[in-house]
PDB file of all heavy atoms in Angstrom:
ATOM      1  N   LEU A 797     -76.388  91.334  11.715  1.00 94.00           N
ATOM      2  CA  LEU A 797     -77.182  91.955  12.790  1.00 94.00           C
ATOM      3  C   LEU A 797     -77.878  90.936  13.620  1.00 94.00           C
ATOM      4  O   LEU A 797     -78.635  90.077  12.998  1.00 94.00           O
ATOM      5  CB  LEU A 797     -78.108  92.914  12.229  1.00 94.00           C
ATOM      6  CG  LEU A 797     -79.098  93.659  13.250  1.00 94.00           C
ATOM      7  CD1 LEU A 797     -78.300  94.477  14.078  1.00 94.00           C
ATOM      8  CD2 LEU A 797     -80.130  94.401  12.494  1.00 94.00           C
ATOM      9  N   ARG A 798     -77.636  90.940  14.860  1.00 95.00           N
ATOM     10  CA  ARG A 798     -78.247  89.920  15.823  1.00 95.00           C
ATOM     11  C   ARG A 798     -78.621  90.631  17.099  1.00 95.00           C
ATOM     12  O   ARG A 798     -77.976  91.529  17.522  1.00 95.00           O
ATOM     13  CB  ARG A 798     -77.468  88.603  16.080  1.00 95.00           C
ATOM     14  CG  ARG A 798     -77.311  87.840  14.689  1.00 95.00           C
ATOM     15  CD  ARG A 798     -76.570  86.563  15.076  1.00 95.00           C
ATOM     16  NE  ARG A 798     -76.323  85.808  13.783  1.00 95.00           N
ATOM     17  CZ  ARG A 798     -75.718  84.629  13.748  1.00 95.00           C
ATOM     18  NH1 ARG A 798     -75.207  84.111  14.871  1.00 95.00           N
ATOM     19  NH2 ARG A 798     -75.611  84.052  12.591  1.00 95.00           N
ATOM     20  N   LEU A 799     -79.630  90.141  17.754  1.00 95.00           N
ATOM     21  CA  LEU A 799     -80.005  90.599  19.067  1.00 95.00           C
ATOM     22  C   LEU A 799     -78.985  89.961  20.083  1.00 95.00           C
ATOM     23  O   LEU A 799     -78.754  88.741  20.068  1.00 95.00           O
ATOM     24  CB  LEU A 799     -81.462  90.133  19.481  1.00 95.00           C
ATOM     25  CG  LEU A 799     -81.965  90.676  20.826  1.00 95.00           C
ATOM     26  CD1 LEU A 799     -82.210  92.121  20.717  1.00 95.00           C
ATOM     27  CD2 LEU A 799     -83.244  89.975  21.180  1.00 95.00           C
ATOM     28  N   ALA A 800     -78.353  90.836  20.942  1.00 94.00           N
ATOM     29  CA  ALA A 800     -77.232  90.352  21.749  1.00 94.00           C
ATOM     30  C   ALA A 800     -77.590  90.488  23.235  1.00 94.00           C
ATOM     31  O   ALA A 800     -77.086  89.772  24.033  1.00 94.00           O
ATOM     32  CB  ALA A 800     -76.020  91.223  21.422  1.00 94.00           C
ATOM     33  N   THR A 801     -78.461  91.396  23.559  1.00 93.00           N
ATOM     34  CA  THR A 801     -78.811  91.533  24.942  1.00 93.00           C
ATOM     35  C   THR A 801     -80.210  92.122  25.088  1.00 93.00           C
ATOM     36  O   THR A 801     -80.753  92.750  24.225  1.00 93.00           O
ATOM     37  CB  THR A 801     -77.776  92.498  25.647  1.00 93.00           C
ATOM     38  OG1 THR A 801     -78.169  92.697  27.032  1.00 93.00           O
ATOM     39  CG2 THR A 801     -77.736  93.852  24.875  1.00 93.00           C
ATOM     40  N   ILE A 802     -80.884  91.866  26.326  1.00 92.00           N
ATOM     41  CA  ILE A 802     -82.154  92.456  26.444  1.00 92.00           C
ATOM     42  C   ILE A 802     -82.130  93.829  27.029  1.00 92.00           C
ATOM     43  O   ILE A 802     -83.203  94.439  27.172  1.00 92.00           O
ATOM     44  CB  ILE A 802     -83.139  91.544  27.365  1.00 92.00           C
ATOM     45  CG1 ILE A 802     -82.373  91.352  28.727  1.00 92.00           C
ATOM     46  CG2 ILE A 802     -83.270  90.233  26.654  1.00 92.00           C
ATOM     47  CD1 ILE A 802     -83.297  90.643  29.760  1.00 92.00           C
ATOM     48  N   ARG A 803     -80.854  94.294  27.399  1.00 90.00           N
ATOM     49  CA  ARG A 803     -80.775  95.546  27.950  1.00 90.00           C
ATOM     50  C   ARG A 803     -81.134  96.644  26.876  1.00 90.00           C
ATOM     51  O   ARG A 803     -80.714  96.525  25.679  1.00 90.00           O
ATOM     52  CB  ARG A 803     -79.347  95.823  28.364  1.00 90.00           C
ATOM     53  CG  ARG A 803     -79.190  97.177  29.132  1.00 90.00           C
ATOM     54  CD  ARG A 803     -77.723  97.383  29.455  1.00 90.00           C
ATOM     55  NE  ARG A 803     -77.438  98.671  30.195  1.00 90.00           N
ATOM     56  CZ  ARG A 803     -76.320  99.053  30.416  1.00 90.00           C
ATOM     57  NH1 ARG A 803     -75.233  98.311  30.149  1.00 90.00           N
ATOM     58  NH2 ARG A 803     -76.046 100.289  30.970  1.00 90.00           N
ATOM     59  N   ASN A 804     -81.929  97.598  27.222  1.00 91.00           N
ATOM     60  CA  ASN A 804     -82.385  98.639  26.203  1.00 91.00           C
ATOM     61  C   ASN A 804     -83.182  98.027  25.069  1.00 91.00           C
ATOM     62  O   ASN A 804     -83.308  98.719  23.934  1.00 91.00           O
ATOM     63  CB  ASN A 804     -81.219  99.470  25.585  1.00 91.00           C
ATOM     64  CG  ASN A 804     -80.530 100.410  26.543  1.00 91.00           C
ATOM     65  OD1 ASN A 804     -81.165 101.037  27.405  1.00 91.00           O
ATOM     66  ND2 ASN A 804     -79.185 100.525  26.532  1.00 91.00           N
ATOM     67  N   LEU A 805     -83.886  96.890  25.317  1.00 95.00           N
ATOM     68  CA  LEU A 805     -84.615  96.196  24.346  1.00 95.00           C
ATOM     69  C   LEU A 805     -85.784  97.231  23.928  1.00 95.00           C
ATOM     70  O   LEU A 805     -86.117  97.233  22.694  1.00 95.00           O
ATOM     71  CB  LEU A 805     -85.176  94.982  24.789  1.00 95.00           C
ATOM     72  CG  LEU A 805     -85.687  93.946  23.782  1.00 95.00           C
ATOM     73  CD1 LEU A 805     -84.578  93.730  22.585  1.00 95.00           C
ATOM     74  CD2 LEU A 805     -86.086  92.691  24.272  1.00 95.00           C
ATOM     75  N   PRO A 806     -86.543  97.793  24.833  1.00 95.00           N
ATOM     76  CA  PRO A 806     -87.552  98.753  24.409  1.00 95.00           C
ATOM     77  C   PRO A 806     -87.196  99.785  23.476  1.00 95.00           C
ATOM     78  O   PRO A 806     -87.772 100.090  22.415  1.00 95.00           O
ATOM     79  CB  PRO A 806     -88.062  99.244  25.720  1.00 95.00           C
ATOM     80  CG  PRO A 806     -87.809  98.204  26.795  1.00 95.00           C
ATOM     81  CD  PRO A 806     -86.562  97.654  26.325  1.00 95.00           C
ATOM     82  N   ALA A 807     -85.970 100.395  23.755  1.00 95.00           N
ATOM     83  CA  ALA A 807     -85.628 101.525  22.904  1.00 95.00           C
ATOM     84  C   ALA A 807     -85.208 100.951  21.533  1.00 95.00           C
ATOM     85  O   ALA A 807     -85.411 101.715  20.484  1.00 95.00           O
ATOM     86  CB  ALA A 807     -84.358 102.265  23.506  1.00 95.00           C
ATOM     87  N   THR A 808     -84.619  99.790  21.450  1.00 96.00           N
ATOM     88  CA  THR A 808     -84.262  99.134  20.140  1.00 96.00           C
ATOM     89  C   THR A 808     -85.443  99.102  19.265  1.00 96.00           C
ATOM     90  O   THR A 808     -85.428  99.407  18.170  1.00 96.00           O
ATOM     91  CB  THR A 808     -83.571  97.853  20.452  1.00 96.00           C
ATOM     92  OG1 THR A 808     -82.349  98.051  21.142  1.00 96.00           O
ATOM     93  CG2 THR A 808     -83.234  97.227  19.077  1.00 96.00           C
ATOM     94  N   PHE A 809     -86.547  98.464  19.815  1.00 96.00           N
ATOM     95  CA  PHE A 809     -87.711  98.131  19.083  1.00 96.00           C
ATOM     96  C   PHE A 809     -88.423  99.356  18.722  1.00 96.00           C
ATOM     97  O   PHE A 809     -89.033  99.545  17.724  1.00 96.00           O
ATOM     98  CB  PHE A 809     -88.602  97.135  19.817  1.00 96.00           C
ATOM     99  CG  PHE A 809     -88.150  95.733  19.690  1.00 96.00           C
ATOM    100  CD1 PHE A 809     -87.805  94.993  20.668  1.00 96.00           C
ATOM    101  CD2 PHE A 809     -88.258  95.014  18.449  1.00 96.00           C
ATOM    102  CE1 PHE A 809     -87.364  93.666  20.636  1.00 96.00           C
ATOM    103  CE2 PHE A 809     -87.901  93.728  18.408  1.00 96.00           C
ATOM    104  CZ  PHE A 809     -87.337  93.054  19.446  1.00 96.00           C
ATOM    105  N   THR A 810     -88.535 100.322  19.621  1.00 96.00           N
ATOM    106  CA  THR A 810     -89.069 101.615  19.337  1.00 96.00           C
ATOM    107  C   THR A 810     -88.397 102.339  18.198  1.00 96.00           C
ATOM    108  O   THR A 810     -89.071 102.907  17.235  1.00 96.00           O
ATOM    109  CB  THR A 810     -89.062 102.479  20.604  1.00 96.00           C
ATOM    110  OG1 THR A 810     -89.836 101.882  21.676  1.00 96.00           O
ATOM    111  CG2 THR A 810     -89.737 103.873  20.302  1.00 96.00           C
ATOM    112  N   ASN A 811     -87.052 102.275  18.200  1.00 96.00           N
ATOM    113  CA  ASN A 811     -86.299 102.926  17.073  1.00 96.00           C
ATOM    114  C   ASN A 811     -86.594 102.247  15.775  1.00 96.00           C
ATOM    115  O   ASN A 811     -86.609 102.837  14.756  1.00 96.00           O
ATOM    116  CB  ASN A 811     -84.821 102.920  17.504  1.00 96.00           C
ATOM    117  CG  ASN A 811     -84.433 104.001  18.459  1.00 96.00           C
ATOM    118  OD1 ASN A 811     -85.307 104.815  18.853  1.00 96.00           O
ATOM    119  ND2 ASN A 811     -83.235 103.956  18.878  1.00 96.00           N
ATOM    120  N   ILE A 812     -86.678 100.871  15.841  1.00 95.00           N
ATOM    121  CA  ILE A 812     -86.914 100.096  14.512  1.00 95.00           C
ATOM    122  C   ILE A 812     -88.300 100.572  13.951  1.00 95.00           C
ATOM    123  O   ILE A 812     -88.294 100.850  12.792  1.00 95.00           O
ATOM    124  CB  ILE A 812     -86.916  98.655  14.853  1.00 95.00           C
ATOM    125  CG1 ILE A 812     -85.390  98.176  15.131  1.00 95.00           C
ATOM    126  CG2 ILE A 812     -87.415  97.850  13.585  1.00 95.00           C
ATOM    127  CD1 ILE A 812     -85.349  96.693  15.636  1.00 95.00           C
ATOM    128  N   LEU A 813     -89.276 100.618  14.890  1.00 95.00           N
ATOM    129  CA  LEU A 813     -90.551 101.000  14.408  1.00 95.00           C
ATOM    130  C   LEU A 813     -90.615 102.416  13.895  1.00 95.00           C
ATOM    131  O   LEU A 813     -91.251 102.810  12.835  1.00 95.00           O
ATOM    132  CB  LEU A 813     -91.581 100.783  15.436  1.00 95.00           C
ATOM    133  CG  LEU A 813     -91.929  99.319  15.792  1.00 95.00           C
ATOM    134  CD1 LEU A 813     -92.822  99.259  17.028  1.00 95.00           C
ATOM    135  CD2 LEU A 813     -92.614  98.574  14.669  1.00 95.00           C
ATOM    136  N   SER A 814     -89.965 103.424  14.696  1.00 94.00           N
ATOM    137  CA  SER A 814     -89.944 104.843  14.281  1.00 94.00           C
ATOM    138  C   SER A 814     -89.179 105.024  12.875  1.00 94.00           C
ATOM    139  O   SER A 814     -89.597 105.869  12.124  1.00 94.00           O
ATOM    140  CB  SER A 814     -89.194 105.559  15.338  1.00 94.00           C
ATOM    141  OG  SER A 814     -89.930 105.523  16.660  1.00 94.00           O
ATOM    142  N   THR A 815     -88.162 104.145  12.664  1.00 92.00           N
ATOM    143  CA  THR A 815     -87.374 104.208  11.448  1.00 92.00           C
ATOM    144  C   THR A 815     -88.250 103.726  10.295  1.00 92.00           C
ATOM    145  O   THR A 815     -88.295 104.334   9.207  1.00 92.00           O
ATOM    146  CB  THR A 815     -86.187 103.490  11.477  1.00 92.00           C
ATOM    147  OG1 THR A 815     -85.424 103.983  12.681  1.00 92.00           O
ATOM    148  CG2 THR A 815     -85.253 103.624  10.249  1.00 92.00           C
ATOM    149  N   ILE A 816     -88.958 102.710  10.531  1.00 91.00           N
ATOM    150  CA  ILE A 816     -89.797 102.072   9.474  1.00 91.00           C
ATOM    151  C   ILE A 816     -90.838 103.058   9.095  1.00 91.00           C
ATOM    152  O   ILE A 816     -91.270 103.308   7.838  1.00 91.00           O
ATOM    153  CB  ILE A 816     -90.429 100.740   9.846  1.00 91.00           C
ATOM    154  CG1 ILE A 816     -89.283  99.624   9.984  1.00 91.00           C
ATOM    155  CG2 ILE A 816     -91.422 100.288   8.920  1.00 91.00           C
ATOM    156  CD1 ILE A 816     -89.784  98.435  10.530  1.00 91.00           C
ATOM    157  N   PHE A 817     -91.467 103.750  10.077  1.00 90.00           N
ATOM    158  CA  PHE A 817     -92.672 104.650   9.869  1.00 90.00           C
ATOM    159  C   PHE A 817     -92.185 106.070   9.873  1.00 90.00           C
ATOM    160  O   PHE A 817     -93.038 106.895  10.312  1.00 90.00           O
ATOM    161  CB  PHE A 817     -93.750 104.352  10.839  1.00 90.00           C
ATOM    162  CG  PHE A 817     -94.278 102.908  10.683  1.00 90.00           C
ATOM    163  CD1 PHE A 817     -94.057 102.017  11.671  1.00 90.00           C
ATOM    164  CD2 PHE A 817     -95.129 102.506   9.570  1.00 90.00           C
ATOM    165  CE1 PHE A 817     -94.568 100.682  11.552  1.00 90.00           C
ATOM    166  CE2 PHE A 817     -95.572 101.295   9.532  1.00 90.00           C
ATOM    167  CZ  PHE A 817     -95.291 100.380  10.424  1.00 90.00           C
ATOM    168  N   LEU A 818     -90.983 106.342   9.504  1.00 92.00           N
ATOM    169  CA  LEU A 818     -90.507 107.692   9.442  1.00 92.00           C
ATOM    170  C   LEU A 818     -91.306 108.566   8.647  1.00 92.00           C
ATOM    171  O   LEU A 818     -91.600 108.261   7.347  1.00 92.00           O
ATOM    172  CB  LEU A 818     -89.004 107.746   9.071  1.00 92.00           C
ATOM    173  CG  LEU A 818     -88.143 108.883   9.002  1.00 92.00           C
ATOM    174  CD1 LEU A 818     -87.868 109.236  10.525  1.00 92.00           C
ATOM    175  CD2 LEU A 818     -87.018 108.853   8.259  1.00 92.00           C
ATOM    176  N   LYS A 819     -91.828 109.713   9.167  1.00 90.00           N
ATOM    177  CA  LYS A 819     -92.706 110.583   8.410  1.00 90.00           C
ATOM    178  C   LYS A 819     -91.949 111.683   7.711  1.00 90.00           C
ATOM    179  O   LYS A 819     -90.954 112.298   8.197  1.00 90.00           O
ATOM    180  CB  LYS A 819     -93.677 111.247   9.389  1.00 90.00           C
ATOM    181  CG  LYS A 819     -94.806 110.267   9.936  1.00 90.00           C
ATOM    182  CD  LYS A 819     -95.787 110.877  10.843  1.00 90.00           C
ATOM    183  CE  LYS A 819     -96.734 109.973  11.478  1.00 90.00           C
ATOM    184  NZ  LYS A 819     -97.760 110.614  12.370  1.00 90.00           N
ATOM    185  N   ASP A 820     -92.388 112.004   6.421  1.00 88.00           N
ATOM    186  CA  ASP A 820     -91.761 113.044   5.736  1.00 88.00           C
ATOM    187  C   ASP A 820     -92.122 114.308   6.296  1.00 88.00           C
ATOM    188  O   ASP A 820     -93.118 114.564   6.897  1.00 88.00           O
ATOM    189  CB  ASP A 820     -92.302 113.056   4.329  1.00 88.00           C
ATOM    190  CG  ASP A 820     -91.690 111.925   3.492  1.00 88.00           C
ATOM    191  OD1 ASP A 820     -90.683 111.302   3.854  1.00 88.00           O
ATOM    192  OD2 ASP A 820     -92.272 111.582   2.325  1.00 88.00           O
ATOM    193  N   VAL A 821     -91.288 115.297   6.189  1.00 85.00           N
ATOM    194  CA  VAL A 821     -91.674 116.666   6.686  1.00 85.00           C
ATOM    195  C   VAL A 821     -91.688 117.623   5.462  1.00 85.00           C
ATOM    196  O   VAL A 821     -90.967 117.328   4.372  1.00 85.00           O
ATOM    197  CB  VAL A 821     -90.628 117.208   7.707  1.00 85.00           C
ATOM    198  CG1 VAL A 821     -90.621 116.486   9.064  1.00 85.00           C
ATOM    199  CG2 VAL A 821     -89.247 117.252   7.122  1.00 85.00           C
ATOM    200  N   ASP A 822     -92.535 118.574   5.541  1.00 80.00           N
ATOM    201  CA  ASP A 822     -92.798 119.416   4.318  1.00 80.00           C
ATOM    202  C   ASP A 822     -91.833 120.563   4.114  1.00 80.00           C
ATOM    203  O   ASP A 822     -91.722 121.268   3.057  1.00 80.00           O
ATOM    204  CB  ASP A 822     -94.137 119.977   4.367  1.00 80.00           C
ATOM    205  CG  ASP A 822     -95.239 118.858   4.345  1.00 80.00           C
ATOM    206  OD1 ASP A 822     -95.016 117.906   3.747  1.00 80.00           O
ATOM    207  OD2 ASP A 822     -96.354 119.052   4.938  1.00 80.00           O
ATOM    208  N   ASP A 823     -91.089 120.847   5.222  1.00 87.00           N
ATOM    209  CA  ASP A 823     -90.255 122.091   5.052  1.00 87.00           C
ATOM    210  C   ASP A 823     -88.721 121.913   4.869  1.00 87.00           C
ATOM    211  O   ASP A 823     -88.053 122.873   4.859  1.00 87.00           O
ATOM    212  CB  ASP A 823     -90.395 122.845   6.456  1.00 87.00           C
ATOM    213  CG  ASP A 823     -89.841 122.072   7.696  1.00 87.00           C
ATOM    214  OD1 ASP A 823     -89.565 120.925   7.444  1.00 87.00           O
ATOM    215  OD2 ASP A 823     -89.515 122.743   8.703  1.00 87.00           O
ATOM    216  N   CYS A 824     -88.339 120.650   4.559  1.00 89.00           N
ATOM    217  CA  CYS A 824     -86.936 120.446   4.256  1.00 89.00           C
ATOM    218  C   CYS A 824     -86.512 121.311   3.073  1.00 89.00           C
ATOM    219  O   CYS A 824     -85.462 121.963   3.121  1.00 89.00           O
ATOM    220  CB  CYS A 824     -86.744 118.907   3.869  1.00 89.00           C
ATOM    221  SG  CYS A 824     -86.269 118.001   5.320  1.00 89.00           S
ATOM    222  N   CYS A 825     -87.211 121.325   1.965  1.00 88.00           N
ATOM    223  CA  CYS A 825     -86.814 122.000   0.804  1.00 88.00           C
ATOM    224  C   CYS A 825     -86.713 123.537   1.115  1.00 88.00           C
ATOM    225  O   CYS A 825     -85.818 124.095   0.688  1.00 88.00           O
ATOM    226  CB  CYS A 825     -87.730 121.660  -0.363  1.00 88.00           C
ATOM    227  SG  CYS A 825     -87.172 122.268  -1.973  1.00 88.00           S
ATOM    228  N   ARG A 826     -87.784 123.993   1.774  1.00 90.00           N
ATOM    229  CA  ARG A 826     -87.774 125.473   2.076  1.00 90.00           C
ATOM    230  C   ARG A 826     -86.606 125.782   2.885  1.00 90.00           C
ATOM    231  O   ARG A 826     -85.965 126.839   2.704  1.00 90.00           O
ATOM    232  CB  ARG A 826     -89.089 125.842   2.746  1.00 90.00           C
ATOM    233  CG  ARG A 826     -89.226 127.337   3.225  1.00 90.00           C
ATOM    234  CD  ARG A 826     -90.266 127.587   4.075  1.00 90.00           C
ATOM    235  NE  ARG A 826     -90.373 126.790   5.320  1.00 90.00           N
ATOM    236  CZ  ARG A 826     -89.568 126.959   6.369  1.00 90.00           C
ATOM    237  NH1 ARG A 826     -88.616 127.942   6.338  1.00 90.00           N
ATOM    238  NH2 ARG A 826     -89.636 126.262   7.430  1.00 90.00           N
ATOM    239  N   ARG A 827     -86.280 125.064   3.923  1.00 92.00           N
ATOM    240  CA  ARG A 827     -85.238 125.325   4.911  1.00 92.00           C
ATOM    241  C   ARG A 827     -83.838 125.267   4.153  1.00 92.00           C
ATOM    242  O   ARG A 827     -82.969 126.118   4.343  1.00 92.00           O
ATOM    243  CB  ARG A 827     -85.208 124.400   5.947  1.00 92.00           C
ATOM    244  CG  ARG A 827     -86.291 124.580   7.004  1.00 92.00           C
ATOM    245  CD  ARG A 827     -86.600 123.311   7.813  1.00 92.00           C
ATOM    246  NE  ARG A 827     -85.579 122.939   8.555  1.00 92.00           N
ATOM    247  CZ  ARG A 827     -85.270 121.672   8.911  1.00 92.00           C
ATOM    248  NH1 ARG A 827     -86.161 120.706   8.724  1.00 92.00           N
ATOM    249  NH2 ARG A 827     -84.238 121.344   9.709  1.00 92.00           N
ATOM    250  N   LEU A 828     -83.760 124.286   3.176  1.00 92.00           N
ATOM    251  CA  LEU A 828     -82.519 124.278   2.396  1.00 92.00           C
ATOM    252  C   LEU A 828     -82.271 125.438   1.576  1.00 92.00           C
ATOM    253  O   LEU A 828     -81.258 125.998   1.509  1.00 92.00           O
ATOM    254  CB  LEU A 828     -82.496 123.020   1.494  1.00 92.00           C
ATOM    255  CG  LEU A 828     -82.252 121.656   2.155  1.00 92.00           C
ATOM    256  CD1 LEU A 828     -82.576 120.491   1.148  1.00 92.00           C
ATOM    257  CD2 LEU A 828     -80.965 121.480   2.604  1.00 92.00           C
ATOM    258  N   PHE A 829     -83.444 125.944   0.914  1.00 90.00           N
ATOM    259  CA  PHE A 829     -83.279 127.145   0.072  1.00 90.00           C
ATOM    260  C   PHE A 829     -83.072 128.429   0.935  1.00 90.00           C
ATOM    261  O   PHE A 829     -82.435 129.360   0.444  1.00 90.00           O
ATOM    262  CB  PHE A 829     -84.496 127.262  -0.813  1.00 90.00           C
ATOM    263  CG  PHE A 829     -84.321 126.514  -2.027  1.00 90.00           C
ATOM    264  CD1 PHE A 829     -84.999 125.215  -2.196  1.00 90.00           C
ATOM    265  CD2 PHE A 829     -83.589 126.844  -3.231  1.00 90.00           C
ATOM    266  CE1 PHE A 829     -84.872 124.515  -3.378  1.00 90.00           C
ATOM    267  CE2 PHE A 829     -83.567 126.156  -4.331  1.00 90.00           C
ATOM    268  CZ  PHE A 829     -84.140 124.938  -4.408  1.00 90.00           C
ATOM    269  N   ASP A 830     -83.676 128.435   2.098  1.00 89.00           N
ATOM    270  CA  ASP A 830     -83.442 129.620   3.005  1.00 89.00           C
ATOM    271  C   ASP A 830     -81.917 129.651   3.297  1.00 89.00           C
ATOM    272  O   ASP A 830     -81.269 130.721   3.290  1.00 89.00           O
ATOM    273  CB  ASP A 830     -84.129 129.461   4.330  1.00 89.00           C
ATOM    274  CG  ASP A 830     -85.638 129.717   4.123  1.00 89.00           C
ATOM    275  OD1 ASP A 830     -86.039 130.266   3.000  1.00 89.00           O
ATOM    276  OD2 ASP A 830     -86.447 129.394   4.960  1.00 89.00           O
ATOM    277  N   SER A 831     -81.262 128.501   3.583  1.00 90.00           N
ATOM    278  CA  SER A 831     -79.863 128.527   3.986  1.00 90.00           C
ATOM    279  C   SER A 831     -79.000 128.831   2.735  1.00 90.00           C
ATOM    280  O   SER A 831     -77.947 129.600   2.705  1.00 90.00           O
ATOM    281  CB  SER A 831     -79.457 127.043   4.429  1.00 90.00           C
ATOM    282  OG  SER A 831     -80.146 126.773   5.649  1.00 90.00           O
ATOM    283  N   LEU A 832     -79.494 128.417   1.585  1.00 87.00           N
ATOM    284  CA  LEU A 832     -78.733 128.527   0.283  1.00 87.00           C
ATOM    285  C   LEU A 832     -78.757 129.982  -0.122  1.00 87.00           C
ATOM    286  O   LEU A 832     -77.794 130.412  -0.616  1.00 87.00           O
ATOM    287  CB  LEU A 832     -79.279 127.639  -0.795  1.00 87.00           C
ATOM    288  CG  LEU A 832     -78.497 127.438  -2.038  1.00 87.00           C
ATOM    289  CD1 LEU A 832     -77.206 126.723  -1.736  1.00 87.00           C
ATOM    290  CD2 LEU A 832     -79.270 126.699  -3.074  1.00 87.00           C
ATOM    291  N   THR A 833     -79.863 130.615   0.013  1.00 85.00           N
ATOM    292  CA  THR A 833     -80.027 131.997  -0.526  1.00 85.00           C
ATOM    293  C   THR A 833     -79.668 133.075   0.548  1.00 85.00           C
ATOM    294  O   THR A 833     -79.807 134.201   0.383  1.00 85.00           O
ATOM    295  CB  THR A 833     -81.453 132.287  -0.955  1.00 85.00           C
ATOM    296  OG1 THR A 833     -82.374 131.940   0.075  1.00 85.00           O
ATOM    297  CG2 THR A 833     -81.693 131.367  -2.197  1.00 85.00           C
ATOM    298  N   SER A 834     -79.424 132.641   1.806  1.00 82.00           N
ATOM    299  CA  SER A 834     -79.101 133.595   2.824  1.00 82.00           C
ATOM    300  C   SER A 834     -77.781 134.372   2.385  1.00 82.00           C
ATOM    301  O   SER A 834     -76.759 133.842   1.933  1.00 82.00           O
ATOM    302  CB  SER A 834     -78.831 132.919   4.130  1.00 82.00           C
ATOM    303  OG  SER A 834     -78.209 133.745   5.107  1.00 82.00           O
ATOM    304  N   VAL A 835     -77.865 135.747   2.504  1.00 73.00           N
ATOM    305  CA  VAL A 835     -76.735 136.558   2.187  1.00 73.00           C
ATOM    306  C   VAL A 835     -75.985 137.013   3.441  1.00 73.00           C
ATOM    307  O   VAL A 835     -74.938 137.758   3.336  1.00 73.00           O
ATOM    308  CB  VAL A 835     -77.209 137.775   1.355  1.00 73.00           C
ATOM    309  CG1 VAL A 835     -77.687 137.391   0.014  1.00 73.00           C
ATOM    310  CG2 VAL A 835     -78.146 138.547   2.177  1.00 73.00           C
ATOM    311  N   GLU A 836     -76.342 136.621   4.613  1.00 73.00           N
ATOM    312  CA  GLU A 836     -75.635 136.947   5.888  1.00 73.00           C
ATOM    313  C   GLU A 836     -74.226 136.457   5.815  1.00 73.00           C
ATOM    314  O   GLU A 836     -74.006 135.226   5.484  1.00 73.00           O
ATOM    315  CB  GLU A 836     -76.497 136.393   7.080  1.00 73.00           C
ATOM    316  CG  GLU A 836     -75.669 136.752   8.410  1.00 73.00           C
ATOM    317  CD  GLU A 836     -76.409 136.044   9.568  1.00 73.00           C
ATOM    318  OE1 GLU A 836     -77.363 135.280   9.315  1.00 73.00           O
ATOM    319  OE2 GLU A 836     -75.935 136.267  10.714  1.00 73.00           O
ATOM    320  N   ARG A 837     -73.240 137.242   6.288  1.00 71.00           N
ATOM    321  CA  ARG A 837     -71.865 136.769   6.260  1.00 71.00           C
ATOM    322  C   ARG A 837     -71.471 136.581   7.757  1.00 71.00           C
ATOM    323  O   ARG A 837     -71.888 137.518   8.479  1.00 71.00           O
ATOM    324  CB  ARG A 837     -70.934 137.855   5.470  1.00 71.00           C
ATOM    325  CG  ARG A 837     -71.028 137.765   4.008  1.00 71.00           C
ATOM    326  CD  ARG A 837     -70.452 136.451   3.561  1.00 71.00           C
ATOM    327  NE  ARG A 837     -70.607 136.183   2.163  1.00 71.00           N
ATOM    328  CZ  ARG A 837     -71.572 135.490   1.565  1.00 71.00           C
ATOM    329  NH1 ARG A 837     -72.550 134.908   2.265  1.00 71.00           N
ATOM    330  NH2 ARG A 837     -71.593 135.329   0.204  1.00 71.00           N
TER     331      ARG A 837
END
Side-chain angles (χ1 to χ4, degrees):
L797 178 66
R798 291 187 181 177
L799 188 66
T801 176
I802 60 172
R803 187 182 178 189
N804 287 321
L805 196 58
T808 296
F809 279 113
T810 300
N811 282 356
I812 291 172
L813 292 173
S814 298
T815 304
I816 291 173
F817 298 106
L818 190 69
K819 291 184 179 179
D820 287 345
V821 292
D822 297 329
D823 65 342
C824 268
C825 193
R826 177 189 58 76
R827 289 160 58 207
L828 285 170
F829 274 99
D830 285 348
S831 298
L832 192 64
T833 55
S834 170
V835 294
E836 180 186 2
R837 283 293 176 263

